[in-house]
Amino acid sequence: MIITSLSPQAHISISTQPNEVGPVAVLEFWVQALISQHLWYREQAILFLMDHLCKTAFQLMQEDCVQKLLYQQHKNALGYHCDRSLLSSLVRDRGWQHHPSFVEVWFAWTVLNVESIFEEDSQLRRVVEGELVINSAFTPDQALKKAQAQLKLPIVPSLQRLLIYRWAHQALVTPSDHPLLPLIWQKFFLLYLHRPGPQYGLPIDGCIGRRFFQSPAHVNLLKEMKRRLTEVADFHHAASKALRVPAEGSEGPPASQAGTPGYLTSPELHTELVRLFNVYILWLEDENFQKGDTYIPSLPKHYDIHRLAKVMQNQQVILCLSQDPHFVIGYKSV
């Protein structure tokens, strides 16, 4: 383990001052130093630091510098463990067999994005979706095997390592009050509500997502996801009622807010999150999206049709879910 008198956070803070190297160089230094340690993924202290570094990179909008270092780690792990991605390898090595997800949510977010880059670069997702579109009787497993043969990939992740399942599982285990949770669900819906028809010279048809959830186990997973969305919406509804604005002239938050994260101290914010997660429930349940006969502008307002249209066009929507201007949860549309 690295011994230093300067913490990563302090080092990054100093780097932003005039004539210093800047935060990107410091982030790269620390990530490289940590992942160069032998069996670094088994060290709780290292994972704790990685989680904080990933959070800082997100806040500074400098995730690329962390992702590029983990990308090679992912490819190495995929090659060494055959069908196991970087994150799943780490999870198994740490003994977390039941959920292929991390409790270090910022780190999990970063690694899943790295795996997404690999899935895109290898064209794996594009070809799997194409096989499902062209061959209506194919199961996801059959489409994956066909994609492996077509792309001549020596190693391909197993079915459960596809990102549509990875984001689903991460959404299930991320705490209700974590600021990344809305974005994790959005990542899932970008895949679930994707309409790949035009990519293959076919007319715009239904969303592809339900094709990945046909087996009994995956049908149950969808039911579990709906239950989880309902739980999260209920959590924020209760929180919106519990929070109270301090009386004028009072100091500090009321007792009920003690220990509440700074990004979750507004009743209005919780109310907006209730609305958002209820929208997600509608998106998950509505089977018409999968049939291709839905005219988006005609949907009721509570479907949040502007956000829905963006997601169906594979555009990440800005989610401003923080009162802190230095901590905006979201991305610019791409």
Side-chain angles (χ1 to χ4, degrees):
M1 183 63 192
I2 300 170
I3 300 176
T4 177
S5 60
L6 193 63
S7 71
Q9 286 73 23
H11 197 178
I12 292 168
S13 179
I14 292 172
S15 75
T16 62
Q17 297 175 5
N19 301 319
E20 293 293 337
V21 295
V24 171
V26 176
L27 281 166
E28 290 178 344
F29 165 78
W30 276 100
V31 171
Q32 186 63 61
L34 292 173
I35 66 177
S36 65
Q37 304 300 303
H38 181 59
L39 298 178
W40 61 273
Y41 44 82
R42 293 184 179 179
E43 293 288 341
Q44 183 62 46
I46 291 181
L47 291 176
F48 176 82
L49 289 174
M50 286 292 294
D51 195 53
H52 280 270
L53 288 168
C54 291
K55 177 180 179 180
T56 300
F58 181 96
Q59 292 173 320
L60 296 175
M61 297 184 180
Q62 299 292 346
E63 291 182 278
D64 287 352
C65 69
V66 177
Q67 290 176 358
K68 71 179 183 181
L69 293 172
L70 290 176
Y71 185 77
Q72 188 59 47
Q73 286 272 322
H74 167 68
K75 290 199 295 185
N76 291 343
L78 191 64
Y80 180 75
H81 298 291
C82 295
D83 73 335
R84 288 161 55 187
S85 63
L86 171 60
L87 184 55
S88 59
S89 298
L90 305 189
V91 169
R92 187 170 301 182
D93 285 332
R94 294 188 63 187
W96 297 334
Q97 299 284 357
H98 300 295
H99 289 291
S101 310
F102 262 113
V103 293
E104 291 89 0
V105 178
W106 295 100
F107 182 45
W109 163 264
T110 302
V111 174
L112 285 176
N113 277 302
V114 169
E115 293 188 13
S116 297
I117 295 170
F118 179 83
E119 198 170 274
E120 291 292 331
D121 286 354
S122 66
Q123 301 187 59
L124 183 62
R125 181 168 71 89
R126 182 186 67 82
V127 176
V128 168
E129 287 185 346
E131 292 298 330
L132 290 175
V133 169
I134 296 168
N135 302 288
S136 59
F138 264 25
T139 65
D141 195 47
Q142 289 173 314
L144 182 61
K145 290 176 181 176
K146 190 76 177 290
Q148 181 180 12
Q150 181 178 329
L151 295 170
K152 296 181 172 58
L153 297 176
I155 298 167
V156 69
S158 62
L159 183 65
Q160 291 306 310
R161 304 307 171 197
L162 294 180
L163 266 297
I164 192 168
Y165 301 124
R166 313 284 280 128
W167 287 116
H169 283 290
Q170 188 61 49
L172 287 176
V173 300
T174 298
S176 299
D177 61 349
H178 198 284
L180 278 179
L181 185 58
L183 280 180
I184 290 169
W185 277 102
Q186 181 172 274
K187 285 284 190 177
F188 166 76
F189 281 111
L190 283 167
L191 300 176
Y192 188 73
L193 297 179
H194 184 225
R195 296 189 288 185
Q199 293 178 244
Y200 308 98
L202 300 173
I204 294 178
D205 203 353
C207 301
I208 195 70
R210 194 60 67 96
R211 293 290 302 279
F212 288 94
F213 292 86
Q214 298 293 322
S215 71
H218 289 133
V219 169
N220 287 334
L221 177 58
L222 280 183
K223 292 178 181 178
E224 189 177 352
M225 293 174 74
K226 180 188 173 183
R227 284 195 297 269
R228 180 60 183 150
L229 281 169
T230 302
E231 288 175 0
V232 175
D234 289 345
F235 167 84
H236 287 291
H237 177 73
S240 71
K241 302 300 182 184
L243 291 173
R244 293 291 182 269
V245 178
E248 187 172 349
S250 65
E251 295 184 5
S256 63
Q257 292 187 27
T260 303
Y263 47 83
L264 290 178
T265 55
S266 163
E268 292 77 18
L269 173 58
H270 284 288
T271 300
E272 174 61 19
L273 286 168
V274 172
R275 189 193 67 80
L276 178 64
F277 285 109
N278 281 326
V279 166
Y280 285 164
I281 292 172
L282 290 174
W283 292 0
L284 190 68
E285 285 187 311
D286 199 323
E287 294 189 6
N288 290 323
F289 294 160
Q290 311 298 319
K291 299 174 183 176
D293 55 0
T294 301
Y295 181 57
I296 302 301
S298 69
L299 291 171
K301 184 179 179 180
H302 55 268
Y303 273 78
D304 197 343
I305 57 177
H306 173 74
R307 189 188 305 275
L308 176 61
K310 291 285 188 183
V311 168
M312 283 188 169
Q313 294 164 10
N314 202 34
Q315 297 182 17
Q316 299 185 94
V317 185
I318 293 176
L319 297 175
C320 295
L321 300 177
S322 173
Q323 293 179 314
D324 182 350
H326 300 292
F327 195 83
V328 177
I329 299 299
Y331 286 95
K332 293 180 180 179
S333 297
V334 294

